[in-house]
Amino acid sequence: MNMHLIDFMNEDIKKKLIKKTYKKKETILFAEQENEYVILMIDGIAEAFILNVKGNISTIHLYRSGSFFGEMEQFNDGKKPVEIVAFTDCNVYKLHRDDFLNWLRGDFEATKFLIREISSKLVLNAELIEELSSLSVKERLLRCISLHYYRSELNLLTKKQLASEVNAPIRSINRAINECVQEHLIAYENKRFSVINQQEVLKNLPTT
């Protein structure tokens, strides 16, 4: 059975948890802002992404029920480039930094679990960066389209935005779009994208 951070909490700590609901597309954690809470996902999906200096968005993680985030900010006063937004409606528990750190001081098993989870995140992020760097324009395009489709925002996606998010010139984007259209994965008509083969396109959705 998979263990979750909340499974290590005693009743005194659980009483400190604050339950909160975030609507789809609502920001849970702002990049470059102070965050005083560790956040535990009860249900829903939250998207973690980095916005670089060129304005390109790179999704680095999808948090689901049982996962948590915001823990590294409690130990690091430096730059916090990651922003986390509700991918769907989300219910979460929030634990204030003071309560979080006081709990860890007296619970070695919880501390070991936290270190193991942080280490796992670092490894996964390193693997993701390597994976993204090796993807073709077509693969990055399908990854981007799958995310917008899952968010129900595909009708708002433009070629210009797609080129920015995929980080490729328009001519390369056009070639990749034509290839995907010929394979009956997507359609592009009247400057709007639509998904033809949902099963195949959603295979490109981030799974972590």
Side-chain angles (χ1 to χ4, degrees):
M1 183 179 68
N2 292 332
M3 297 290 289
H4 302 307
L5 187 60
I6 197 170
D7 296 327
F8 290 86
M9 294 181 177
N10 57 44
E11 291 304 315
D12 288 338
I13 292 298
K14 288 182 179 179
K15 290 177 182 177
K16 305 284 188 180
L17 294 173
I18 302 168
K19 189 173 182 180
K20 184 172 176 60
T21 297
Y22 291 91
K23 295 297 183 181
K24 181 179 178 180
K25 301 182 184 179
E26 188 176 357
T27 301
I28 300 175
L29 191 154
F30 288 91
E32 308 301 345
Q33 290 190 15
E34 182 71 14
N35 171 40
E36 297 183 342
Y37 291 90
V38 176
I39 300 169
L40 296 83
M41 294 287 294
I42 302 173
D43 55 60
I45 302 174
E47 176 184 11
F49 64 84
I50 292 176
L51 185 67
N52 66 24
V53 292
K54 294 181 180 180
N56 300 328
I57 294 173
S58 295
T59 297
I60 60 172
H61 203 85
L62 292 180
Y63 290 103
R64 294 177 168 84
S65 175
S67 59
F68 60 90
F69 50 87
E71 76 287 354
M72 285 190 267
E73 286 84 348
Q74 312 317 317
F75 304 102
N76 176 26
D77 294 328
K79 187 177 181 181
K80 304 172 180 68
V82 178
E83 187 146 322
I84 299 179
V85 174
F87 204 61
T88 65
D89 289 352
C90 294
N91 290 306
V92 306
Y93 284 129
K94 301 176 71 174
L95 182 64
H96 191 270
R97 172 184 295 164
D98 294 341
D99 297 318
F100 175 68
L101 294 177
N102 286 336
W103 169 45
L104 293 183
R105 288 188 185 99
D107 193 328
F108 183 60
E109 291 303 316
T111 302
K112 284 198 302 182
F113 176 80
L114 182 71
I115 292 172
R116 187 165 62 247
E117 291 297 299
I118 290 175
S119 300
S120 177
K121 283 185 184 181
L122 293 174
V123 170
L124 285 173
N125 284 343
E127 290 175 347
L128 177 62
I129 291 170
E130 182 178 357
E131 177 188 345
L132 289 176
S133 66
S134 65
L135 292 180
S136 66
V137 172
K138 176 188 172 186
E139 289 169 331
R140 298 201 305 273
L141 180 141
L142 285 171
R143 185 178 189 271
C144 183
I145 286 178
S146 70
L147 283 163
H148 283 272
Y149 179 73
Y150 197 85
R151 296 187 194 115
S152 301
E153 296 176 349
L154 192 56
N155 63 313
L156 302 176
L157 183 64
T158 64
K159 276 190 182 181
K160 183 178 180 180
Q161 181 182 353
L162 190 57
S164 175
E165 294 185 18
V166 173
N167 195 23
I170 287 291
R171 62 180 182 276
S172 298
I173 293 295
N174 284 333
R175 284 197 296 268
I177 290 172
N178 289 336
E179 188 175 345
C180 291
V181 169
Q182 290 171 8
E183 293 176 6
H184 304 291
L185 297 174
I186 65 171
Y188 183 70
E189 298 176 347
N190 300 320
K191 299 184 178 181
R192 290 290 180 267
F193 292 96
S194 59
V195 170
I196 303 300
N197 191 329
Q198 176 181 322
Q199 183 177 357
E200 287 300 315
V201 169
L202 289 181
K203 285 181 180 179
N204 298 275
L205 194 69
T207 56
T208 55

